[in-house]
Amino acid sequence: MSWLKNRFYIKLLAGLLLSVGLLIAGVYLVSYLLGPPQLTPQQNTVYYSRDGDVIGKESGNRSEDWVDLDDISDELIQATILAEDQHFYKHHGFDVPRIAGAVWADVKTMSLKEGASTLTQQYARNLYLSFEKTWTRKLREAFYTIRLEMFYSKDEILEGYLNTIYYGHGAYGVEDASNYYFNKSAKDLSLAEAAMLAGIPKGPTYYSPYNNMENAKKRQTWILGLLRDKQVISDDAYARAVNEELAFTKPVEQKEDEKAPYFQDAVLQEAANILDLDEEKVRSGGYQIHTTLDTDKQEKLKENITNVFDDDSELQVGAIAMDPNDGAILALVGGRDYQDSSFNRALKAKRMPGSAFKPFLYYAALKNGYTPATMLTSKPTVFKLADGAKYQPNNFNGYYANKPITLAQALALSDNIYAVKTNLYLGVDKLIHTAREFGITSKLPKVPSLALGTATTTVNEMVTGYGMMANGGHEITDHTVEKIVDRNDKVLYTRDDTSGEQILDPQQTFILTQLMTGMFDRSLDGYMAVTGSTVANQLSRPYAGKSGTTDSDSWMIGYSPDLVTGVWSGYDDNRHMEKVKETAYAKDVWARFMEDAHRGTAPHKFAAPPGIVAVRIDPESGKRATRYCDHSRVMYFKKGTEPTEYCTTHLPNDNSGGKKRQQSDQEKKGPLRKLFDMLF
């Protein structure tokens, strides 16, 4: 029986080998019939605006400066082969022992993390395929690898590889890389320079000397060791190369002529997260990335920043315009000059928002019993805290009402005493929780001054939070990418347009929005002018907003039902803004941009949800206005919370506005009416 069993296994093994053999033969036959693949297809990753216009592209994977193999440093060729594929001239496209080891490792980890790619496989992937780690992609890579090896010589494949491989920072191919890093041709590289370049393609971000010199130096030394061990170079040459001080050229960003470079950087990062790829692989992946950019609004935002800021000022800026309905970033400026600094201040700079943080506090207050007419006294106050400490905030320039003021006026005038009292009354935990509801993820300390915006956050977080106010309280996610298509026109990603969950109370959100229109309403002037008074005359339609100022930061964030925009300005080194006009830049840019962005469109009102009542209120008393009140403003209340009492501060016989108005009315009456009034 044992011999029958052995015979069965022998037949089974023979059958398997025959099947594998036929499969391999079939693959090679199909590869032969397909013929030689084109060596230079386009690999540009292209960015499109929301209107479908090209706004920028990453360089393709063929260098414009293609060089023959004979014109490339021999040291670089040897270093590349030893570092990437030591058996290049011996195999037929696949290094079987390395592949077997990698497959075994993948099986053990149930992943596709291990790689054993030859130069030919890498060349095939760079030319024709995406970087996703799937079995389908690996099979297609195998087909292209066979075709390359079948129809091209080893030297042709090596030359193509060296002229198309990505070396980071937008440099494709050895000639581009040599010029970018060392300002010299690939044929003139020293041994040390060649070893440094040969180490970069393994991970252009990780091994770039501009990104991480320590990593780059370690890999260079390892490659030099391989050259020495394989007796390509001598011990003396190794020692000299290891100790050679390399003269790198100054790194230069590649986007000076493209639209919205800060925005494009944000797109690249977001696309990399969506595709779960390294940013450098997205750059060279040949993707079509459709973005949210509105080119007209982008130009208007940049133009207004240029017009408002002094050319010789070192003051920096970060600004975002967003669609409040879905969080699409329509325009983004991350700094005054991308070439001078590519640091994106709109997304990455953490700065104190100052009073621009107060709307989050007042939403919490409205949710906990406050109304626009809630009165608190504005006067110099020393707060005694639970731990025995004392805290004494100040109002701008030391101005106080020295009497009770309404929430409406406190927000319009940005009264700090009112804000701190409210924060302590509610408990700081409520403000932190509320800020989280608005999407603020930055660290928020549990201190009374949090109400005054002393925590640091980003322009992006703040604009997204204000966007939730503008849309009535539903959740939005800031984003720059709408769709991603690969080089084969396959749609890899399309953004879900489903509206976000309703997070905020729609009634209180509407009331808060109406309160925030008050910063532009001079009827709310009190012990000082409303904070938006300097730009109010520039505005042609209703906007809601809030400004914020610290010693080193100036903010303006505001919105219509269709657009929310935030502008921050300040110095990168956090120095104080000494010039008064510099503190006004953010408001000026915001006002000009919002007007430009809305020009030619019909004004839209903020839609009131059910259960809201409108009442004309006297800002001074917080009660229903009468005809004797000097000023009044329509305020909005949740039904049942509106004031029922009428103002008694201004009466017909008092010495203020009521009396003046009575006199004015008397002067308008004719003689017969005056006589009638006297007699009856």
Side-chain angles (χ1 to χ4, degrees):
M1 295 295 294
S2 61
W3 68 272
L4 289 175
K5 188 175 182 180
N6 290 337
R7 186 177 179 184
F8 170 77
Y9 283 120
I10 291 171
K11 287 183 177 181
L12 179 62
L13 179 59
L16 288 174
L17 291 175
L18 179 61
S19 298
V20 171
L22 290 173
L23 177 62
I24 293 174
V27 168
Y28 273 85
L29 177 61
V30 172
S31 298
Y32 177 78
L33 294 175
L34 289 172
Q38 185 182 354
L39 292 184
T40 57
Q42 289 297 313
Q43 300 295 301
N44 294 334
T45 285
V46 183
Y47 302 129
Y48 297 90
S49 70
R50 65 184 343 202
D51 293 327
D53 297 326
V54 175
I55 59 173
K57 62 178 66 176
E58 304 290 354
S59 299
N61 75 337
R62 171 169 178 156
S63 167
E64 294 181 2
D65 300 317
W66 188 284
V67 289
D68 294 335
L69 203 60
D70 292 339
D71 292 324
I72 300 174
S73 159
D74 187 59
E75 286 86 354
L76 177 57
I77 294 173
Q78 294 291 339
T80 300
I81 291 173
L82 285 176
E84 298 292 335
D85 186 2
Q86 295 186 23
H87 304 116
F88 174 69
Y89 279 101
K90 297 178 181 179
H91 62 63
H92 296 287
F94 306 98
D95 191 334
V96 177
R98 287 178 65 199
I99 290 174
V103 168
W104 177 242
D106 286 342
V107 169
K108 287 194 297 184
T109 60
M110 296 301 292
S111 69
L112 293 173
K113 294 182 178 180
E114 291 298 321
S117 297
T118 62
L119 292 184
T120 313
Q121 288 175 274
Q122 293 181 51
Y123 190 27
R125 185 187 314 137
N126 293 337
L127 287 174
Y128 313 112
L129 303 168
S130 69
F131 292 93
E132 57 184 344
K133 291 189 174 184
T134 63
W135 291 111
T136 301
R137 197 272 295 160
K138 285 183 174 290
L139 288 172
R140 295 180 65 213
E141 177 188 300
F143 265 102
Y144 280 113
T145 299
I146 292 169
R147 292 171 65 195
L148 284 172
E149 289 278 348
M150 186 177 290
F151 292 102
Y152 297 99
S153 70
K154 286 289 188 179
D155 284 353
E156 286 177 313
I157 294 171
L158 181 59
E159 180 179 301
Y161 172 86
L162 289 170
N163 277 284
T164 57
I165 196 67
Y166 187 56
Y167 287 89
H169 305 285
Y172 289 84
V174 291
E175 190 70 5
D176 283 352
S178 297
N179 281 296
Y180 181 78
Y181 288 101
F182 301 113
N183 195 29
K184 61 174 64 175
S185 175
K187 65 182 178 182
D188 298 324
L189 293 171
S190 70
L191 173 60
E193 292 166 342
M196 177 61 73
L197 281 190
I200 295 174
K202 178 74 172 178
T205 300
Y206 191 73
Y207 292 114
S208 164
Y210 294 148
N211 294 342
N212 193 317
M213 179 58 77
E214 182 180 357
N215 290 343
K217 186 64 181 177
K218 285 181 179 178
R219 185 155 174 82
Q220 179 213 35
T221 302
W222 176 75
I223 291 173
L224 288 170
L226 287 177
L227 291 169
R228 179 196 57 192
D229 296 344
K230 297 295 182 180
Q231 299 181 347
V232 176
I233 62 173
S234 65
D235 290 342
D236 289 342
Y238 168 83
R240 287 194 301 270
V242 166
N243 294 306
E244 180 179 329
E245 186 173 344
L246 299 180
F248 294 101
T249 57
K250 183 180 179 181
V252 178
E253 297 296 338
Q254 304 294 310
K255 295 185 178 179
E256 60 269 20
D257 297 326
E258 297 180 347
K259 293 181 180 179
Y262 292 103
F263 179 87
Q264 288 188 43
D265 285 350
V267 171
L268 176 62
Q269 183 176 3
E270 185 175 332
N273 290 335
I274 290 170
L275 298 173
D276 193 22
L277 293 175
D278 184 272
E279 290 181 15
E280 305 298 355
K281 291 183 178 179
V282 177
R283 288 180 190 272
S284 58
Y287 298 101
Q288 301 169 51
I289 303 178
H290 298 264
T291 77
T292 59
L293 186 74
D294 183 316
T295 53
D296 183 56
K297 288 182 174 59
Q298 177 68 30
E299 289 300 319
K300 285 180 169 63
L301 183 58
K302 181 62 177 176
E303 179 183 341
N304 281 301
I305 290 171
T306 301
N307 292 340
V308 168
F309 281 66
D310 284 347
D311 290 339
D312 58 352
S313 172
E314 295 181 6
L315 205 68
Q316 276 295 348
V317 66
I320 288 177
M322 180 183 292
D323 184 337
N325 296 301
D326 60 5
I329 294 178
L330 306 177
L332 184 152
V333 173
R336 299 275 299 281
D337 186 342
Y338 186 85
Q339 293 308 303
D340 182 59
S341 169
S342 62
F343 178 66
N344 195 327
R345 295 159 187 84
L347 300 180
K348 297 180 179 179
K350 294 261 189 169
R351 307 292 296 225
M352 289 192 292
S355 293
F357 202 76
K358 288 177 181 174
F360 306 136
L361 169 72
Y362 291 132
Y363 174 79
L366 291 169
K367 285 275 290 180
N368 286 273
Y370 277 51
T371 75
T374 298
M375 308 283 286
L376 292 177
T377 300
S378 166
K379 68 178 182 180
T381 305
V382 178
F383 294 94
K384 294 181 180 179
L385 307 181
D387 59 1
K390 295 181 179 180
Y391 174 53
Q392 184 173 5
N394 299 303
N395 275 353
F396 177 71
N397 280 344
Y399 295 149
Y400 301 89
N402 290 307
K403 62 179 181 179
I405 61 174
T406 62
L407 170 56
Q409 200 167 44
L411 185 53
L413 305 182
S414 202
D415 191 279
N416 288 338
I417 304 302
Y418 195 110
V420 174
K421 282 184 177 180
T422 299
N423 194 26
L424 291 175
Y425 168 73
L426 297 175
V428 182
D429 285 337
K430 274 197 174 64
L431 174 53
I432 294 174
H433 173 73
T434 300
R436 300 295 184 219
E437 286 187 301
F438 280 92
I440 304 298
T441 59
S442 295
K443 183 178 179 180
L444 300 175
K446 188 178 177 181
V447 293
S449 63
L450 180 61
L452 308 183
T454 54
T456 59
T457 184
T458 66
V459 174
N460 195 38
E461 284 182 285
M462 294 295 291
V463 171
T464 303
Y466 274 57
M468 291 180 65
M469 302 175 200
N471 69 36
H474 69 77
E475 185 179 23
I476 54 176
T477 301
D478 59 283
H479 63 279
T480 62
V481 176
E482 292 288 355
K483 184 171 70 171
I484 302 176
V485 181
D486 72 9
R487 67 186 69 178
N488 299 312
D489 292 328
K490 177 184 176 183
V491 177
L492 302 179
Y493 168 81
T494 301
R495 183 165 184 83
D496 183 3
D497 292 331
T498 305
S499 296
E501 180 184 355
Q502 184 76 35
I503 301 295
L504 308 178
D505 181 291
Q507 294 174 323
Q508 303 297 11
T509 303
F510 174 78
I511 293 170
L512 176 64
T513 286
Q514 295 300 326
L515 285 170
M516 290 170 64
T517 65
M519 73 170 290
F520 308 112
D521 185 354
R522 297 302 296 264
S523 72
L524 289 173
D525 285 352
Y527 59 85
M528 61 180 293
V530 291
T531 54
S533 60
T534 58
V535 297
N537 62 348
Q538 300 179 38
L539 308 179
S540 62
R541 67 184 67 205
Y543 298 105
K546 187 71 188 77
S547 58
T549 305
T550 72
D551 290 336
S552 55
D553 301 278
S554 179
W555 295 71
M556 179 62 211
I557 313 175
Y559 53 92
S560 71
D562 308 302
L563 184 67
V564 54
T565 301
V567 182
W568 164 85
S569 64
Y571 292 100
D572 282 341
D573 58 6
N574 279 292
R575 83 182 90 146
H576 290 184
M577 288 183 286
E578 303 291 347
K579 299 177 182 178
V580 175
K581 68 176 183 179
E582 291 184 343
T583 64
Y585 284 166
K587 284 181 188 174
D588 288 341
V589 169
W590 180 88
R592 295 186 188 191
F593 170 74
M594 290 295 277
E595 283 296 293
D596 285 346
H598 287 86
R599 189 164 286 114
T601 63
H604 294 154
K605 292 183 178 180
F606 295 103
I612 294 292
V613 294
V615 180
R616 189 166 288 280
I617 299 294
D618 168 48
E620 186 176 351
S621 67
K623 298 179 180 179
R624 288 176 177 260
T626 70
R627 67 190 186 97
Y628 302 110
C629 297
D630 286 335
H631 302 288
S632 64
R633 172 178 165 86
V634 174
M635 299 184 190
Y636 296 84
F637 299 82
K638 199 169 184 177
K639 190 173 182 179
T641 66
E642 68 274 17
T644 56
E645 297 182 21
Y646 283 86
C647 172
T648 56
T649 302
H650 308 104
L651 297 173
N653 295 320
D654 68 10
N655 293 320
S656 60
K659 185 175 182 180
K660 291 177 183 177
R661 180 170 301 184
Q662 185 186 40
Q663 291 173 344
S664 177
D665 291 344
Q666 289 289 344
E667 290 171 359
K668 293 179 182 178
K669 295 178 181 179
L672 291 177
R673 182 60 188 269
K674 289 181 180 179
L675 179 63
F676 181 85
D677 287 345
M678 290 175 60
L679 295 174
F680 300 98

